[in-house]
Amino acid sequence: MKNKVIVTGGCGYIGSHTVVSLIEEGYEVVVFDDLSNSKEFILNKIEEITGKAPVFEKVNLAKESVCKEIFQKHNDAKAVIHFAAYKAVGESVQKPLMYYKNNLFSLINILNAQVENKIENIIFSSSATVYGEPDLLPITESNEVKQPFSPYGNTKKVAEEILLDLTKSEHNFSAISLRYFNPIGAHSSGLIGELPSGIPNNLLPYITQCAIGILEQLKVFGDDYDTKDGTAIRDYIHVVDLAKAHVAALNRLLKKEQETSYEVFNLGTGKGYTVLEIIREFEKVANMKLNYKIVERREGDVPELYAATKLAEEKLGWKALLGLNEMIRSSWQWEQQLRASVKEGY
Ligand code: UD1
C-alpha cells in the first residue's frame, strides 16, 4: 500500500512543487491549506501535471479543535510535511503577534495531533534566516544559530527548538528541519510557481513583475557591500530541486535511516550570486533591459549567504541539479503564463 503523507500549505509555492514530486514518487498526498496565501486552482494544475489530484482539506491549523479533528480523519498518514506559515518578513515586524500566533500555534497543534494519532514523522520548512549574519562561509549546519532579525525568522528558530525538545521527550518521534536558502524558479510546465500576494518582497518575483509591466522599477538594495560588484550575495535554489529534497528527507524518515531523531539540513546549491548577476542573467534570458536603480541597503539584509551542501549530499543523497539559467528561465515562463491565464480568468 502507498504511504500517505499530509502536506500542510500544499497549495503554496514550495508546497505545491513538493506535492508534485511526492505524487510522482508514488506517495498518496493529502493537502491541508487554509488558502490564506494561496489559490485552490493550484490543485487542478497539480492534477494536470501528475494526472492525480491530491485530497484537499481547507483548514486553519492554528485552531486547535479544527486541527485535532482533521488529523483524526487522516490518522493513517505516515508523516507530515509542514509548510503552512506566514512568511513576509516586513509584515512580521509590524504584526509580531499575528506571526507568532499563526506559525507557532499551528505547529504546536499539529505536533499534538501527531502524537495523539501516532504519526511520528515531520519535515519542517525552516530557513537560512536562522543563521543571521554568519561568521563563517559557506554555512554549515553546525554554524551558530543566531537571534533572527525579524519575528518571522524567530518563528523558524523557535519552531526548530520545539521540534528538538519534542523528539527528546517522545522517543518514537522523528523530525527533520530543512533550512532553505533562496528558492526561485517554477515547474517546467509553467503551470505552478510563486504567487505573491500584493507587492512581492523577494527579488525574483519583483524582477518578473517589473519585466511584465506590473511594477515600474526594481530597487537594488545597496551596492556598497564587500562583494565583487557591491551588491549582496545569495544562494538561489530551483524550487523543483528543493521539492525533491523533501522527498529524499521523507524517505530517510520512513526508512528510519536517521542518526539522531532530530536532524537539520541546508538546502542550497553552494553557489552565491550577486543581485546584479541575477539582473544580468534575467536580461539575457528575457532578452530585454530591466528598469532598476540602486538604493540604500534594506534593513536586516546580510551581505553574503551561501550553503555548505555536503551534509545533504551525504545523508539525503540529494544535490541541487538545476542551474541559474534554468531557475530564471522557468520563473519568467511562469510569470508570462500566469498573466496570460489571469486575462482568461484562470
Ligand atoms: C528573505 C528573508 C528571509 C526569508 C526569505 C524567504 C529578509 C531580510 N530575509 O531572504 O528571512 O527566509 O526571504 O524567501 O527579508 N533585493 C533587492 N531588491 C528587491 C528585493 C530583494 O535588491 O526588491 C535583494 C536583497 O537585498 C537580497 C537579494 O535581493 O540581497 C535577495 O532578497 P530576497 O529575495 O528578499 O531574499 P532574502 O532577503 O535573502
Side-chain angles (χ1 to χ4, degrees):
M1 210 187 71
K2 284 183 190 171
N3 280 322
K4 180 161 158 179
V5 181
I6 293 168
V7 180
T8 78
C11 293
Y13 175 42
I14 303 169
S16 58
H17 288 83
T18 301
V19 171
V20 166
S21 286
L22 290 166
I23 295 174
E24 284 172 351
E25 292 299 316
Y27 283 100
E28 185 187 332
V29 179
V30 182
V31 168
F32 292 176
D33 202 308
D34 68 357
L35 302 177
S36 61
N37 193 24
S38 58
K39 295 273 189 283
E40 200 169 348
F41 80 86
I42 290 295
L43 296 164
N44 302 332
K45 303 294 176 186
I46 292 173
E47 186 174 9
E48 246 185 86
I49 295 169
T50 62
K52 203 167 183 302
V55 173
F56 175 57
E57 304 282 5
K58 183 168 184 276
V59 277
N60 178 353
L61 298 162
K63 294 207 171 109
E64 191 176 3
S65 58
V66 171
C67 185
K68 207 176 157 103
E69 201 176 307
I70 204 68
F71 268 85
Q72 270 161 7
K73 182 173 168 191
H74 294 284
N75 64 6
D76 54 337
K78 295 284 179 283
V80 173
I81 306 184
H82 179 40
F83 294 101
Y86 292 158
K87 61 170 186 181
V89 176
E91 184 183 52
S92 79
V93 176
Q94 304 303 320
K95 300 175 185 167
L97 294 181
M98 184 175 115
Y99 270 68
Y100 286 118
K101 185 173 172 191
N102 185 60
N103 292 7
L104 296 179
F105 280 25
S106 57
L107 176 72
I108 292 166
N109 291 340
I110 289 167
L111 293 174
N112 260 320
Q114 285 193 246
V115 171
E116 262 172 38
N117 292 290
K118 296 201 165 23
I119 305 172
E120 288 165 329
N121 299 294
I122 187 167
I123 294 172
F124 177 66
S125 252
S126 190
S127 166
T129 193
V130 300
Y131 295 116
E133 185 163 352
D135 301 318
L136 289 172
L137 287 164
I139 300 171
T140 69
E141 288 78 353
S142 46
N143 264 52
E144 189 191 343
V145 167
K146 294 189 177 169
Q147 184 60 36
F149 294 114
S150 68
Y152 153 77
N154 204 34
T155 67
K156 297 296 178 191
K157 177 174 176 281
V158 173
E160 287 203 21
E161 290 163 354
I162 292 172
L163 288 169
L164 174 63
D165 288 343
L166 184 68
T167 55
K168 284 184 193 158
S169 75
E170 292 290 326
H171 295 297
N172 295 322
F173 207 91
S174 296
I176 293 181
S177 288
L178 299 175
R179 293 176 178 162
Y180 310 151
F181 281 66
N182 287 61
I184 60 169
H187 192 265
S188 58
S189 62
L191 293 172
I192 56 173
E194 189 168 6
L195 267 179
S197 56
I199 299 175
N201 300 302
N202 298 115
L203 181 62
L204 242 288
Y206 207 104
I207 288 180
T208 57
Q209 289 196 14
C210 278
I212 207 128
I214 296 172
L215 297 171
E216 192 147 349
Q217 187 178 51
L218 170 72
K219 294 181 197 70
V220 174
F221 298 134
D223 70 347
D224 56 352
Y225 289 104
D226 185 17
T227 60
K228 56 184 148 182
D229 60 26
T231 63
I233 291 178
R234 294 289 180 274
D235 182 340
Y236 296 91
I237 173 165
H238 199 301
V239 67
V240 170
D241 274 330
L242 201 68
K244 289 180 180 164
H246 290 75
V247 179
L250 179 63
N251 292 340
R252 181 172 175 85
L253 284 177
L254 296 183
K255 288 186 193 152
K256 303 208 171 300
E257 288 172 348
Q258 282 185 300
E259 284 156 27
T260 55
S261 54
Y262 178 65
E263 292 181 328
V264 300
F265 295 102
N266 286 341
L267 299 182
T269 65
K271 277 202 202 78
Y273 291 98
T274 67
V275 178
L276 289 178
E277 283 173 329
I278 298 296
I279 292 173
R280 299 287 167 256
E281 189 65 26
F282 179 83
E283 290 182 328
K284 203 169 85 188
V285 162
N287 194 23
M288 65 165 78
K289 283 276 162 224
L290 203 65
N291 180 14
Y292 71 89
K293 75 167 179 198
I294 311 283
V295 300
E296 290 294 290
R297 293 181 181 192
R298 179 171 69 179
E299 203 185 335
D301 274 354
V302 301
E304 194 166 4
L305 283 181
Y306 56 94
T309 58
K310 196 162 150 244
L311 194 68
E313 275 174 44
E314 278 177 12
K315 308 288 180 195
L316 298 179
W318 167 90
K319 189 176 182 312
L321 299 175
L322 301 165
L324 188 66
N325 184 271
E326 185 49 39
M327 297 181 211
I328 292 185
R329 242 172 26 77
S330 61
S331 288
W332 182 223
Q333 180 194 9
W334 158 247
E335 184 70 63
Q336 290 171 292
Q337 281 184 221
L338 176 68
R339 298 309 151 190
S341 64
V342 167
K343 274 190 202 138
E344 289 160 18
Y346 291 122

